[in-house]
Amino acid sequence: MTLQNIKLPDDKAVNLGKVYDAIVVGSGAAGGMAAHVLTSHGMKVLLLEAGKRIDTSKELKSDEWPYEHPRRGEMPPDRHALLPNEYTIRKPPYAAGIKANHVHSYVQAWGGSDYSKNLIVDEKDHPYTGSNYAWVRARALGGKTNIWGRLALRLSDYDFKATSRDGYGMNWPIEYKDIQPYYDRVDLLLGISGVKENLPYLPDSIFQRPVRLNEAEVHLRGSLAKMGRTLTPYRAGVTTDGVKNKYRMRCFSRGACNRRAGGCDIHAAFDSPTGLIFPAFDGGNLTIRTNATVREVLVDTNTGKARGVAFIDTVTGKNYEAKAKVIVLAASTLESARLLLLSKSRQHPNGIGNSSGHVGHNFCEHVMGPGVTGIYKQKIGALRTNDDGRPGGFYLARFRNLTEKNPKFIRGYGFEGGSGTTIFPGDAIEQPGFGAGYKKKVRDYAGAFIDMGAFGEVLARYENYVELDPQMKDRWGIPVLRFNYHFGDNEKKMCEDMAETAQEMFEAAGIEIVSVNKRILTEGWSIHELGTARMGNDPKTSVLNQYQQSHDVKNLFVVDGSSHVSAANQNPTWTIMALAWRSCDYLAGEFKRGNL
Ligand SMILES: Cc1cc2nc3c(=O)[nH]c(=O)nc-3n(C[C@H](O)[C@H](O)[C@H](O)COP(=O)(O)OP(=O)(O)OC[C@H]3O[C@@H](n4cnc5c(N)ncnc54)[C@H](O)[C@@H]3O)c2cc1C
Ligand code: SF4
């Protein structure tokens, strides 16, 4: 099979005189799915994306070795990726003390990557203020799906109905049976690899061929099973058996996923352009304009309904308007909240869809940092095996607050981890020494390391919120977000438990411990920001209904993670797409019935 590429029409060719059936803002997981589903229902859709098109076939070279790159993979010297201790630099004057012309989030530094600098925003152009927050943004067609980590998990009623179990917060307005058919559709359309485990709190997907666990991981799985805990092969949003899509190939296990900050140049790993947008474009109902930063949802002053959007050409700085009968925001959790707040009018003085005052609030995500690294001694000096060609290692499912009630914290966490030889042995960087002895040590230990790190639920709290900064604007003159966001006591207690259990589990498995990490990483580090426009049945305490439709403005939908009522502890992207599919099916039905 040969991969196809697509030639999209020039941005200027887009007809802005036309009234589209729907405008979708943003082209990541949520926007890609919205465009895909709405066009499949025959709706004429204009997709506006703030970032540029990236020619991944030229820019993303998954198989390039560091020594083939002019700077061993490093960025040019005028660019800098933020370190954990630099996340306080958002106080004006912005990025003071950092001499580099371009400043990127910490993700840009992963694996000495040069590739993702063209995707990840320059923080000098895209500032924000307030409390510490590592806000990773990718502005390009496909958004963060170009570099995501691929772990694709489902939520369950332990998450949707968590309030009924522990009394905290608000239940979602849906239950698992409402979303399950849409999870199935996402699995079948995009491909996911994994193994069925029959866990009620981590539902199985319709899996393709799984990633194989290697020796150390099989050993750990056996030891954990005795504790009643489940370690399962990485549930990867990767097609291992292939899907019907001429833009994607099946994974042939080159072990290259982690060579760059994500990204798969044969698109076996899901990304929104090849998985959703290009196939939709081929259907003939989709128009795409990149370099189009939406700055406001425009309102019909007679009806109070949305009539279109105002946007800025990111390159020329010129202002334009586009018109549609329905507006679908999918700019990502925080950018969609920003857009709602920016869209003030006589009818919507606090921002469109914000009569409840909840836009920007109930902001939640995952807390991470604690984990453990060990050595599986049986593999030291062992012959190198071909067990590393995988798009992921393992996932250890939640085990807290399921049947028992932890006295210190509510909700739960899971671990992501892995072992074995990676295509480039990470320990080579940290191993001291030089010459033949150094090389032998690197080779001997390369396949013996095993590590895992936890991702835990951060509780959705009204008092954790974003708002518009009254002074600071971005490079295009648009007010930026101010963060008021902190981890609470529940997260801190949970993190203590993560470090303790990580150590216990490795000890129980007889894995020699190299280090136990107790440090909590800065807010935002998990790149799973959620909440800010939550769904709910009560318009006084929620922004959207169960179909991600604004309670206030019936032709306005917000289909990204901002709608999530709680963060759960599972990575969110598969849920974002399943929900977006469900809502867009509903939207298309209402549209046909003339109800929007
Ligand atoms: C390194 C990394 C690893 C990750 N690993 C995982 C993982 O393993 N599992 C998982 O589930 N999730 C993971 N994620 C998170 C995942 O990428 C996101 O959940 C997902 O991309 C969210 O989709 P989205 O459409 O809401 O946002 P995005 O993918 O960010 O897309 C939003 C798009 O909207 C555009 N946009 C923003 N503002 C505007 C505007 N005003 N006008 C027009 N367009 C606009 C942006 O340019 C962007 O293209 C990871 C993310 C990163 C960066
Ligand atoms: S291991 Fe598979 S999914 Fe990962 S980069 Fe290689 S082909 Fe793509």
Side-chain angles (χ1 to χ4, degrees):
M1 177 182 155
T2 314
L3 276 180
Q4 307 280 313
N5 215 334
I6 197 162
K7 174 101 183 81
L8 294 173
D10 189 54
D11 282 348
K12 293 183 193 74
V14 173
N15 178 3
L16 294 176
K18 179 172 168 174
V19 180
Y20 289 88
D21 291 338
I23 289 175
V24 174
V25 180
S27 65
M33 184 55 83
H36 189 87
V37 175
L38 295 178
T39 54
S40 76
H41 284 287
M43 290 177 69
K44 301 287 179 199
V45 174
L46 172 62
L47 176 67
L48 294 175
E49 164 54 50
K52 54 187 170 299
R53 294 166 201 169
I54 295 273
D55 185 350
T56 39
S57 60
K58 290 211 180 77
E59 298 216 14
L60 170 56
K61 297 171 190 151
S62 303
D63 276 343
E64 183 185 62
W65 286 94
Y67 55 75
E68 289 169 332
H69 185 276
R71 294 176 300 277
R72 294 283 192 272
E74 292 296 334
M75 283 191 289
D78 68 333
R79 290 177 183 265
H80 174 74
L82 292 173
L83 304 167
N85 60 1
E86 290 172 333
Y87 272 92
T88 50
I89 62 159
R90 291 189 317 282
K91 292 177 189 124
Y94 184 68
I98 293 190
K99 292 203 186 79
N101 293 333
H102 306 282
V103 179
H104 300 278
S105 73
Y106 76 96
V107 166
Q108 175 50 43
W110 279 0
S113 173
D114 182 63
Y115 154 65
S116 51
K117 70 177 187 301
N118 294 325
L119 292 153
I120 292 181
V121 300
D122 182 344
E123 307 243 343
K124 290 199 173 183
D125 291 340
H126 298 269
Y128 50 104
T129 63
S131 54
N132 285 354
Y133 199 84
W135 187 16
V136 177
R137 288 152 293 166
R139 284 212 168 179
L141 191 70
K144 296 194 290 285
T145 66
N146 290 296
I147 51 169
W148 75 308
R150 312 161 298 281
L151 184 60
L153 303 173
R154 292 187 178 198
L155 270 59
S156 76
D157 281 335
Y158 284 76
D159 309 302
F160 296 126
K161 301 296 168 199
T163 305
S164 305
R165 296 172 55 80
D166 59 28
Y168 179 83
M170 192 174 93
N171 279 332
W172 292 52
I174 58 163
E175 47 192 302
Y176 182 67
K177 70 173 170 46
D178 298 319
I179 192 176
Q180 189 240 329
Y182 291 93
Y183 275 132
D184 289 355
R185 289 185 196 188
V186 175
D187 293 346
L188 294 171
L189 179 72
L190 302 177
I192 175 169
S193 79
V195 165
K196 286 192 189 296
E197 303 283 2
N198 292 315
L199 304 174
Y201 45 90
L202 187 70
D204 293 322
S205 287
I206 302 173
F207 292 122
Q208 299 190 356
R209 175 175 54 86
V211 165
R212 283 183 67 162
L213 295 177
N214 61 32
E215 191 184 323
E217 294 164 350
V218 170
H219 173 80
L220 182 60
R221 177 178 162 96
S223 169
L224 290 170
K226 290 183 206 144
M227 303 166 89
R229 298 177 187 174
T230 305
L231 181 154
T232 193
Y234 203 76
R235 293 185 170 178
V238 166
T239 174
T240 46
D241 293 333
V243 284
K244 221 175 144 201
N245 180 329
K246 66 183 182 188
Y247 302 107
R248 302 181 65 200
M249 288 176 87
R250 71 188 175 90
C251 173
F252 58 93
S253 300
R254 304 167 300 165
C257 281
N258 291 328
R259 296 272 316 280
R260 296 285 174 268
C264 170
D265 54 5
I266 60 163
H267 311 288
F270 159 74
D271 58 62
S272 172
T274 60
L276 298 167
I277 295 172
F278 296 168
F281 186 76
D282 288 340
N285 290 327
L286 182 62
T287 305
I288 302 171
R289 180 158 174 155
T290 47
N291 292 315
T293 302
V294 174
R295 59 175 173 76
E296 189 180 345
V297 178
L298 299 170
V299 169
D300 181 324
T301 46
N302 295 320
T303 61
K305 281 168 64 177
R307 65 172 175 84
V309 297
F311 72 91
I312 300 178
D313 185 303
T314 317
V315 179
T316 65
K318 284 194 181 151
N319 284 284
Y320 296 94
E321 285 187 17
K323 296 179 270 302
K325 294 170 191 157
V326 183
I327 305 299
V328 180
L329 299 186
S332 76
T333 292
L334 294 168
E335 292 289 8
S336 287
R338 182 181 173 199
L339 270 171
L340 293 171
L341 294 170
L342 283 167
S343 305
K344 290 191 175 120
S345 58
R346 183 171 51 78
Q347 286 94 340
H348 309 289
N350 299 324
I352 196 163
N354 193 21
S355 66
S356 66
H358 276 254
V359 171
H361 292 264
N362 313 302
F363 176 16
C364 52
E365 57 163 351
H366 297 144
V367 60
M368 61 184 289
V372 62
T373 302
I375 299 253
Y376 182 64
K377 284 194 276 190
Q378 293 84 326
K379 290 296 280 183
I380 299 172
L383 276 180
R384 301 287 289 276
T385 52
N386 194 18
D387 63 357
D388 63 324
R390 311 177 295 173
F394 65 79
Y395 185 70
L396 165 51
R398 170 182 173 181
F399 48 85
R400 285 293 191 233
N401 292 315
L402 295 172
T403 50
E404 97 298 5
K405 198 169 175 321
N406 190 287
K408 294 188 184 151
F409 60 91
I410 58 170
R411 310 291 163 97
Y413 56 86
F415 282 92
E416 289 180 34
S419 164
T421 329
T422 51
I423 201 163
F424 182 79
D427 64 308
I429 297 162
E430 276 149 38
Q431 201 69 254
F434 57 91
Y438 164 78
K439 284 187 194 158
K440 179 166 173 9
K441 202 152 186 215
V442 169
R443 224 178 267 126
D444 283 353
Y445 277 77
F449 285 97
I450 178 163
D451 60 26
M452 61 183 191
F455 282 68
E457 174 167 352
V458 175
L459 298 178
R461 301 183 181 86
Y462 182 81
E463 58 274 22
N464 269 341
Y465 68 101
V466 285
E467 61 188 336
L468 295 179
D469 187 285
Q471 267 126 33
M472 185 164 291
K473 298 194 166 73
D474 67 15
R475 186 178 137 199
W476 297 270
I478 306 172
V480 305
L481 286 181
R482 181 160 68 187
F483 284 67
N484 303 272
Y485 182 87
H486 301 280
F487 293 144
D489 200 43
N490 199 66
E491 287 80 50
K492 288 173 191 156
K493 296 263 166 52
M494 185 186 277
C495 284
E496 285 168 16
D497 195 62
M498 290 169 176
E500 280 166 25
T501 57
Q503 179 167 355
E504 275 165 23
M505 289 186 280
F506 269 32
E507 280 171 359
I511 295 169
E512 185 182 304
I513 295 193
V514 177
S515 62
V516 177
N517 201 348
K518 298 185 175 167
R519 181 175 169 212
I520 304 176
L521 289 162
T522 309
E523 285 86 343
W525 209 267
S526 67
I527 328 178
H528 293 162
E529 45 307 337
L530 298 162
T532 71
R534 71 178 176 186
M535 298 188 286
N537 294 324
D538 183 355
K540 291 200 186 68
T541 58
S542 60
V543 179
L544 309 169
N545 68 16
Q546 62 156 305
Y547 295 107
Q548 300 175 305
Q549 179 183 28
S550 163
H551 285 304
D552 301 343
V553 181
K554 65 182 177 183
N555 67 340
L556 175 67
F557 291 73
V558 188
V559 300
D560 53 35
S562 55
S563 65
H564 291 206
V565 179
S566 58
N569 65 268
Q570 297 91 317
N571 308 40
T573 307
W574 232 240
T575 304
I576 290 174
M577 290 196 286
L579 277 177
W581 196 326
R582 179 175 185 265
S583 299
C584 290
D585 265 1
Y586 169 82
L587 187 167
E590 289 292 279
F591 184 78
K592 276 185 198 141
R593 287 186 283 275
N595 290 342
L596 300 177

